[in-house]
Amino acid sequence: MIQLYDLETKYPSVRFSPFCWRVKYALAHKGLRWEEVPIGFTDKDKLPSPNEGKVPVIVDDQEVVSDSWDIALFLDTKYPNDPLFDGAESRAQAYFIKSWSEMVLQILISRMGILDFYEVLKDSDKGYFRDTRESRSGVTLEEWGGNPESARTEFLKALEPLRVTLKHQSFLGGAQANFSDYIMVGLLQWMRCGSSLTVFDENDAVFEYQEKLLDLHDGLGRSSLPYSSAIADE
């Protein structure tokens, strides 16, 4: 069975890594079974080699693949049925979604939820998380995430191209979801599973889109509770 190394927190039911969620949806899309191996930020020595020092990493028949994009390409090559990319054009378009999400949307999500992301980590991971994120941003976590509502307003505005697209089709992949949608569900699960902030009004087209994504693959996304519910159940 495929092993997926996933980011853990101090709560067993809270898994918020957007990159790991991409891979979970990709595996489910292919109808593949996997087992998750949870590790923390400071457990890099537990990753199989070779690796880039971060998750996700998969091990499949002794083949080790890291990075969510490379994993998606690997899965389409090894398991060509139910492709994640419908040809080179689809793959190129998905790479744009990947770049847009990582260079624009992820920054806003970080500003919305970083203090919650920090709080759910194991104590042994908090120092690493604080040091690396503060070095990256040049400010403290508290300064970076001090105005989540302002970041939420910017995030909702940044999603307008997605809303326009959803007026014409159910998914970024068209009638059916593809890896572009799994990039997006990774972002949405990052906030849903990792933060207490309510991002969307229920009349927002992106909320409806999120609901569709949560229902895919026998409710894969819903198998992980929202942050507030998961914390309350612990």
Side-chain angles (χ1 to χ4, degrees):
M1 183 184 296
I2 295 171
Q3 290 183 310
L4 167 61
Y5 287 76
D6 189 12
L7 178 65
E8 70 175 344
T9 69
K10 65 183 177 183
Y11 301 102
S13 58
V14 174
R15 302 285 178 82
F16 62 77
S17 167
F19 305 105
C20 292
W21 275 110
R22 292 180 188 180
V23 174
K24 292 175 190 180
Y25 268 76
L27 290 166
H29 181 101
K30 294 283 187 181
L32 299 170
R33 297 176 60 206
W34 72 93
E35 62 177 356
E36 295 174 15
V37 183
I39 69 167
F41 281 108
T42 54
D43 296 331
K44 295 177 182 179
D45 58 314
K46 296 181 181 178
L47 289 171
S49 296
N51 66 73
E52 299 177 353
K54 54 190 176 183
V55 294
V57 178
I58 67 166
V59 181
D60 183 15
D61 292 334
Q62 299 184 337
E63 292 185 88
V64 179
V65 188
S66 59
D67 184 86
S68 60
W69 181 260
D70 289 341
I71 291 170
L73 298 178
F74 167 81
L75 292 175
D76 255 8
T77 298
K78 186 168 183 178
Y79 304 99
N81 290 339
D82 301 312
L84 295 164
F85 308 101
D86 186 17
E89 183 176 292
S90 171
R91 188 165 56 250
Q93 290 169 345
Y95 199 83
F96 168 78
I97 298 296
K98 173 184 180 295
S99 300
W100 174 56
S101 69
E102 293 175 2
M103 298 177 72
V104 178
L105 301 180
Q106 283 185 197
I107 294 171
L108 297 173
I109 290 175
S110 175
R111 288 175 52 204
M112 284 192 286
I114 198 165
L115 296 179
D116 282 337
F117 304 153
Y118 175 77
E119 285 302 323
V120 300
L121 294 177
K122 298 185 302 180
D123 288 343
S124 57
D125 285 338
K126 285 184 174 180
Y128 170 88
F129 186 86
R130 178 178 287 277
D131 289 346
T132 54
R133 273 55 184 176
E134 290 184 349
S135 175
R136 187 181 302 167
S137 67
V139 298
T140 66
L141 295 184
E142 290 72 19
E143 290 172 307
W144 180 256
N147 195 340
E149 280 297 334
S150 174
R152 174 180 177 269
T153 298
E154 291 184 53
F155 181 68
L156 293 175
K157 288 180 180 177
L159 289 175
E160 193 58 26
L162 176 60
R163 293 187 189 88
V164 172
T165 301
L166 294 173
K167 290 180 181 179
H168 301 279
Q169 57 201 59
S170 296
F171 300 99
L172 292 175
Q176 304 294 327
N178 65 9
F179 196 67
S180 291
D181 296 286
Y182 303 153
I183 292 170
M184 291 305 304
V185 79
L187 292 178
L188 299 176
Q189 286 288 77
W190 191 11
M191 280 301 297
R192 177 179 174 272
C193 301
S195 173
S196 59
L197 182 68
T198 299
V199 179
F200 302 110
D201 296 328
E202 292 190 6
N203 62 355
D204 190 329
V206 182
F207 175 82
E208 181 181 353
Y209 172 64
Q210 180 182 34
E211 291 293 295
K212 290 179 182 178
L213 293 172
L214 291 174
D215 287 336
L216 289 176
H217 311 309
D218 299 319
L220 172 62
R222 296 190 192 280
S223 67
S224 183
L225 293 174
Y227 171 89
S228 298
S229 298
I231 300 304
D233 287 348
E234 295 294 338

